[in-house]
Amino acid sequence: MKINAIKYDTTLKQGSSAVHRDPQNLKEKERAGLCGKNNEDKTKFGGNFTGKSEVAASAIKNSKIKDKIFNSKSYNWLLKFAEEHNVAGSALMALFLAGAVRPATILALPGKKDKEDKIYASGHSMASGIIGFAASTIITSPWDQGVANIMDNYKKHYDKKIENVLAGKDINEGVPELKYKFKLLDKKYERLIELKKMAADKASKIETKALLNQIDTIKLYMKNVTDWAIAIPRSILTIALIPPILKYVFGVQKKSKAAPEPTVQEQPKNTLKMVSRMDGFMNKLNSKADGGSK
Amino acid sequence: MNVTLNTFSQNLQYNRVANSNNKRQYTAPSFAGSAEQVAESVAKQSKFGKRILKKGTELFDQTGEWFAQKVIPKVFDNTVTDKFSDKVKNCDNLFSHFLAVGSAITSGMYMYKTLTNDKMDKDRRNTLAVNQFLTFALSTAGAYMLDKSLANWWQNMTVRYASNQCNDENLNLVKEFKAEVEKAKAENVEIKKANDALKAAAKAEGRKIAKEELQDLKSVKADKFLRKRIGDYVADPKQLELLNKKIKGMGLLKTMLVFALVYRYIVPVAVTKPANILCDKYLAHKKEKEAQKA
């Protein structure tokens, strides 16, 4: 028989914060059941903090592990993040590999002799991954947002215009306002409208496709140039911040390999000390012997 | 058998004081939502958290808007962007090139730092710089090769992902894609034959054949294939746009992962052991030389 002693006020009027009013321990939650409310929670709480499975069931017959991954929220979030933030996405991959997988592999490599080196290399790798991700995310995320603002605004504006052209309506009817001035995009989209007005022959189709490709390329170029721009300051920052991060966050410090051997100049000092100690000892012995004779 | 014993006593002074001072109504917390919802609800209840979240979002949006209004058009609205984007618009792996250029800048910076490091002797500086360059060249070549070799497999994965998102139970999208790839392969055999015949004819005439005279080989790209098809499965335009974004993200994610894997994991881990051995040998050689001099 198992007796669980708990100490809870069954009146539940302690007035603690709304979040921590109930027993927080999962075991207690499952077993205590002292009030009705508690039991209600138990039916909702399935051991997973999210309350429901993170991975949605796949609609595909004979679904495999990859289908479960493809339906997971985190994977879908990752895809969206990779598309929206190219530079930060790359830094996220680097964070995962340099911050977790590489240190684990380096530490698992055989060789007891260079253990200190391996610890230092692992700390170095983790620090560089973290700094790279932090710098990339802080700098490039607002930039990506700015690029997205321009491109989305232009797309919405001109898509509506094209829609009006194709429907034979007034071209400016219900068109969202253009908030930004970007002559290059104006030129490309205006050409697209002209092509839509023309008969849909093969040449116009090819040109339309080329224009859409170019607009996509402009977006990718504007997003990724930041990686080139921040490459140098980021590497300088990484080099500068690695030693303090290693020291204060990971508690790792590069030590010199061999202990310093006594130098040639130090040897006479040591010898002199020894000689003086020996002299003192001999003097004491002599004085004792003299006293004895007295 | 489990027995739960409540040892709480109403007579305790502490509890009496606590109860008399607080008569708030009890409401049990619910854990039915996702982790994000819980975090959001905590942030909502905490005025401080709410304020911080609001300020952070505002700052992010303002910075993004400032970039969109003042910086991005000034930097990119020019003929350089126009010419560059026009030249590379049909490039399939443009994102890989952006990553390689970013790495070249970072590696170049490290090489420059090595060559201008006064603490090292000249021979060692040059050796290290050449070593850094070779590591960069090998890593880049390896990353491109791995990226290319995974391309077909990843295209199939992308179509499978889309099938999952479209609730395509019988994997019709996957089947259609495979059929289209096979069709393109068969057509390419014919195109190659026709191109060879044209080349032979030109050779017989004693002239060099122009590129425009030859037929282009057909290729089936998963993202382009899916862009045409997923409209049959997803009716909501917003959902469709989001799915297109994620499909684009699949291609980007693969390239990000491959480049990070090669640059940040495979090469550094593979280099660790030989680098340690070489370093030890160099130090031993240096010590020996110094000993000989002495």
Side-chain angles (χ1 to χ4, degrees):
Chain A
M1 193 168 81
K2 200 173 180 181
I3 300 173
N4 299 318
I6 57 166
K7 206 169 185 176
Y8 287 122
D9 180 356
T10 49
T11 58
L12 293 162
K13 288 176 182 172
Q14 293 96 324
S16 56
S17 77
V19 179
H20 292 291
R21 222 171 258 169
D22 245 7
Q24 294 300 298
N25 187 321
L26 176 63
K27 212 170 172 185
E28 286 166 6
K29 251 181 172 303
E30 287 292 316
R31 291 179 181 171
L34 290 172
C35 65
K37 290 274 179 191
N38 216 356
N39 286 337
E40 269 178 33
D41 291 339
K42 200 167 73 182
T43 55
K44 289 175 190 170
F45 194 82
N48 183 343
F49 190 69
T50 57
K52 56 185 173 185
S53 173
E54 172 91 339
V55 181
S58 173
I60 289 171
K61 285 171 188 168
N62 304 321
S63 65
K64 294 175 182 168
I65 295 172
K66 59 187 169 193
D67 298 312
K68 285 181 181 170
I69 294 169
F70 288 157
N71 278 318
S72 70
K73 271 185 185 177
S74 34
Y75 188 77
N76 280 281
W77 173 85
L78 189 65
L79 288 181
K80 202 168 161 256
F81 186 77
E83 203 280 328
E84 286 173 353
H85 305 287
N86 300 160
V87 180
S90 299
L92 184 68
M93 296 298 126
L95 176 70
F96 166 66
L97 290 163
V101 186
R102 193 162 111 200
T105 315
I106 290 173
L107 289 173
L109 281 173
K112 284 178 185 173
K113 234 169 70 180
D114 46 2
K115 201 183 168 188
E116 284 242 326
D117 281 345
K118 283 199 274 183
I119 292 170
Y120 183 80
S122 303
H124 190 284
S125 171
M126 286 168 90
S128 72
I130 292 165
I131 296 164
F133 177 69
S136 301
T137 310
I138 291 166
I139 299 166
T140 63
S141 294
W143 179 272
D144 290 341
Q145 179 70 31
V147 173
N149 284 354
I150 294 174
M151 299 309 285
D152 289 350
N153 185 231
Y154 266 86
K155 194 175 184 302
K156 277 179 190 162
H157 178 85
Y158 282 102
D159 276 358
K160 187 68 192 169
K161 275 192 169 180
I162 289 167
E163 199 184 303
N164 289 344
V165 166
L166 293 175
K169 290 181 193 171
D170 174 26
I171 194 164
N172 292 320
E173 197 185 308
V175 173
E177 190 195 348
L178 261 186
K179 288 198 280 181
Y180 311 98
K181 280 178 187 170
F182 209 111
K183 284 176 196 166
L184 180 60
L185 287 176
D186 281 326
K187 202 173 101 185
K188 299 294 160 196
Y189 274 110
E190 290 295 346
R191 180 67 192 148
L192 264 181
I193 291 174
E194 276 175 32
L195 289 168
K196 291 285 172 190
K197 281 178 184 170
M198 280 160 35
D201 58 343
K202 201 183 171 186
S204 70
K205 273 183 184 174
I206 290 170
E207 200 183 337
T208 305
K209 202 180 156 189
L211 278 170
L212 290 172
N213 274 351
Q214 194 179 355
I215 291 166
D216 275 352
T217 308
I218 292 171
K219 189 180 178 184
L220 195 70
Y221 171 63
M222 291 197 295
K223 272 192 203 176
N224 284 279
V225 157
T226 43
D227 189 33
W228 305 349
I230 66 163
I232 292 173
R234 186 179 54 196
S235 48
I236 292 170
L237 194 74
T238 307
I239 293 167
L241 286 178
I242 280 174
I245 284 189
L246 280 174
K247 195 177 173 186
Y248 298 110
V249 180
F250 299 103
V252 182
Q253 224 175 333
K254 185 86 174 165
K255 285 174 191 168
S256 55
K257 272 199 160 180
E261 289 170 15
T263 55
V264 186
Q265 284 124 345
E266 274 173 348
Q267 273 177 348
K269 271 186 192 171
N270 290 341
T271 323
L272 277 172
K273 269 184 190 173
M274 288 288 282
V275 170
S276 62
R277 274 182 200 165
M278 284 296 283
D279 280 350
F281 181 70
M282 289 305 285
N283 287 338
K284 272 181 191 174
L285 277 177
N286 288 338
S287 63
K288 271 183 186 176
D290 290 346
S293 63
K294 273 180 187 174
Chain B
M1 184 181 173
N2 277 332
V3 174
T4 306
L5 192 68
N6 189 7
T7 53
F8 173 77
S9 167
Q10 265 292 334
N11 299 326
L12 285 171
Q13 190 65 26
Y14 170 79
N15 289 311
R16 240 189 289 144
V17 170
N19 289 333
S20 63
N21 286 344
N22 205 326
K23 308 251 182 237
R24 271 192 274 171
Q25 197 73 38
Y26 166 72
T27 48
S30 169
F31 288 95
S34 65
E36 290 85 5
Q37 282 172 314
V38 172
E40 203 182 303
S41 72
V42 171
K44 267 182 191 170
Q45 280 170 23
S46 151
K47 276 185 184 175
F48 179 71
K50 199 178 171 183
R51 222 184 301 150
I52 292 281
L53 202 71
K54 202 181 161 193
K55 283 274 172 198
T57 315
E58 271 176 17
L59 186 71
F60 181 81
D61 289 341
Q62 278 170 6
T63 318
E65 192 60 27
W66 180 76
F67 278 137
Q69 291 280 2
K70 308 274 179 191
V71 186
I72 297 167
K74 272 185 188 171
V75 178
F76 295 104
D77 194 7
N78 49 40
T79 46
V80 177
T81 309
D82 192 11
K83 281 181 183 168
F84 175 78
S85 58
D86 189 41
K87 240 180 183 174
V88 299
K89 65 176 183 270
N90 293 321
C91 187
D92 283 335
N93 49 354
L94 189 61
F95 183 58
S96 322
H97 300 330
F98 281 126
L99 288 177
V101 172
S103 278
I105 295 170
T106 313
S107 299
M109 216 285 291
Y110 284 128
M111 277 184 262
Y112 174 75
K113 279 256 171 192
T114 307
L115 288 169
T116 53
N117 190 348
D118 298 332
K119 286 175 189 171
M120 267 188 248
D121 54 74
K122 207 187 168 189
D123 288 345
R124 189 153 158 75
R125 260 185 282 171
N126 291 339
T127 315
L128 204 61
V130 170
N131 198 356
Q132 281 169 337
F133 173 75
L134 286 176
T135 308
F136 160 73
L138 279 174
S139 304
T140 309
Y144 271 107
M145 271 166 66
L146 189 61
D147 196 41
K148 204 181 172 188
S149 61
L150 291 175
N152 287 339
W153 172 72
W154 195 254
Q155 292 227 52
N156 292 333
M157 285 294 113
T158 308
V159 180
R160 179 119 189 171
Y161 167 77
S163 284
N164 266 289
Q165 296 302 306
C166 295
N167 290 330
D168 174 20
E169 279 179 41
N170 298 318
L171 295 170
N172 289 329
L173 281 171
V174 177
K175 286 170 196 164
E176 278 173 42
F177 180 71
K178 278 184 180 166
E180 208 151 297
V181 170
E182 289 304 317
K183 196 182 156 194
K185 267 185 191 171
E187 279 176 5
N188 281 343
V189 174
E190 296 302 316
I191 292 169
K192 268 183 189 171
K193 273 183 191 170
N195 283 347
D196 286 344
L198 282 171
K199 276 178 195 172
K203 208 178 176 182
E205 286 168 22
R207 65 179 178 92
K208 212 179 176 185
I209 197 159
K211 214 180 173 185
E212 288 76 35
E213 286 180 63
L214 298 171
Q215 253 186 296
D216 287 333
L217 290 176
K218 292 198 171 174
S219 68
V220 187
K221 297 281 167 207
D223 55 344
K224 281 169 193 164
F225 166 84
L226 289 168
R227 209 180 293 157
K228 288 178 198 162
R229 308 291 166 97
I230 54 173
D232 300 340
Y233 296 87
V234 183
D236 182 16
K238 275 189 179 176
Q239 289 291 322
L240 191 66
E241 198 184 331
L242 184 68
L243 186 55
N244 269 320
K245 217 177 199 184
K246 287 177 185 172
I247 288 166
K248 243 185 189 177
M250 279 288 283
L252 295 169
L253 186 72
K254 187 239 335 172
T255 307
M256 281 174 192
L257 198 58
V258 164
F259 272 73
L261 196 72
V262 175
Y263 281 130
R264 308 302 293 266
Y265 180 70
I266 297 173
V267 173
V269 170
V271 152
T272 302
K273 200 79 189 166
N276 280 348
I277 294 166
L278 284 175
C279 194
D280 285 346
K281 275 189 177 172
Y282 174 79
L283 287 172
H285 176 71
K286 208 178 171 184
K287 233 178 180 180
E288 211 174 273
K289 255 189 172 179
E290 276 172 10
Q292 275 176 358
K293 270 183 188 175

